[in-house]
Each structure stands twice: as structure tokens, then as C-alpha cells.
């Protein structure tokens, strides 16, 4: 009885921990959805959604939309990317388009030609401004 419960738990958690890999020389066109992480060394044209992490290697290229928890880029991206937590750009990364993220980590040498919104920071700044005006603060 107990061994069956352990096996069932292991299957569901392992499925989320597994990493999907798109190898160099591979091109995928279309929508990709998953629960685990992805490593992209090839080319993806379309939408990539996952509850996990996306790693784009030096030879990787994504043209389309990404929605994920965390992302590390060494390769190229064109389109719209939504990262719930941290977007990390290594020195060889080349990003163009629209970026929405919680945190942004950019190494020197990375190319970042994008509009960028940082969800947490933007909201808190607006809230502080509203609360400051409402308290009757005066400036010189």
C-alpha cells in the first residue's frame, strides 16, 4: 500500500523535473507546451509555454512568444517573452522585442533591444507614488 503511494508521487514529480531538449540543427514550427524545463540549441518558431525553466544555448534561436518561470539566454530571441521570476542574459545573448519579467540579470556584452516591463518593481513604485500624494506631502 505504501509503496504504491511513493511510486505515484515519484512519477508526478519526475515528470515536472525532466528536461526537454531541442538539439542543434532541429527546427520546430508551432506551439509547444510543457511542465518541465526546456533546453533549446536549435530553432523554434512559434509559442513556447512551460511552468519550468527555459535555457537557450549559444546556437539556440527562438522567434515567437515565450511564457515561463525562469529563462537563461546565451542565444537569440525575437518576439515577446514573459518570465514570472528571473530572466538572465549571458554575454552572447541577443534579445529583440518585448520583455515582461520579475527580475532582469544582464551580463556585459549582451544585446538587449527590447521594451521591458518589470512586474513587481513597476507596481510597487506606482503604489508608493499614489500613497505619497494621498498623505498630503508637499515639495519645495
Amino acid at each position: 500500500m505504501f509503496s504504491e503511494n511513493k511510486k505515484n508521487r515519484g512519477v508526478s514529480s519526475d515528470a515536472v523535473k525532466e528536461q526537454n531538449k531541442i538539439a542543434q540543427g532541429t527546427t520546430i514550427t508551432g506551439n509547444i507546451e510543457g511542465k518541465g524545463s526546456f533546453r533549446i540549441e536549435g530553432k523554434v518558431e512559434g509559442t513556447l509555454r512551460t511552468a519550468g525553466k527555459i535555457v537557450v544555448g549559444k546556437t539556440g534561436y527562438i522567434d515567437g512568444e515565450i511564457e515561463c518561470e525562469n529563462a537563461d539566454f546565451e542565444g537569440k530571441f525575437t518576439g515577446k517573452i514573459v518570465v514570472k521570476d528571473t530572466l538572465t542574459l549571458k554575454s552572447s545573448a541577443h534579445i529583440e522585442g518585448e520583455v515582461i519579467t520579475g527580475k532582469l540579470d544582464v551580463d556585459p556584452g549582451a544585446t538587449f533591444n527590447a521594451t521591458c516591463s518589470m512586474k513587481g518593481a513597476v507596481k510597487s513604485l506606482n503604489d508608493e507614488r499614489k500613497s505619497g500624494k494621498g498623505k498630503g506631502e508637499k515639495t519645495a
Side-chain angles (χ1 to χ4, degrees):
M1 182 170 126
F2 291 108
S3 62
E4 289 179 25
N5 287 339
K6 287 180 183 178
K7 286 180 184 177
N8 289 339
R9 285 185 202 153
V11 170
S12 62
S13 65
D14 288 344
V16 174
K17 292 179 183 179
E18 286 188 32
Q19 184 175 26
N20 300 288
K21 183 174 181 181
I22 298 172
Q24 184 176 358
T26 302
T27 300
I28 295 181
T29 304
N31 298 331
I32 303 170
E33 290 192 29
K35 292 183 180 179
S37 297
F38 283 86
R39 179 160 186 94
I40 312 294
E41 295 291 344
K43 183 176 182 179
V44 174
E45 296 175 344
T47 302
L48 176 56
R49 287 190 178 94
T50 182
K53 181 177 186 175
I54 295 176
V55 177
V56 180
K58 287 185 180 183
T59 60
Y61 175 66
I62 298 176
D63 183 4
E65 293 186 26
I66 293 177
E67 198 172 306
C68 62
E69 186 68 27
N70 292 292
D72 289 352
F73 274 87
E74 291 181 278
K76 296 182 180 182
F77 174 79
T78 303
K80 179 180 179 181
I81 182 168
V82 178
V83 181
K84 293 178 183 176
D85 191 21
T86 304
L87 171 61
T88 303
L89 306 180
K90 303 297 183 185
S91 60
S92 59
H94 185 93
I95 307 296
E96 293 186 7
E98 181 182 355
V99 174
I100 300 169
T101 187
K103 299 173 194 167
L104 181 63
D105 180 11
V106 183
D107 286 355
T111 302
F112 187 72
N113 295 321
T115 59
C116 183
S117 298
M118 295 182 72
K119 297 179 292 185
V122 173
K123 187 174 183 180
S124 65
L125 287 175
N126 289 336
D127 290 344
E128 287 177 19
R129 289 182 185 157
K130 288 178 184 176
S131 64
K133 289 181 181 177
K135 293 182 180 180
E137 292 181 13
K138 295 181 181 179
T139 57

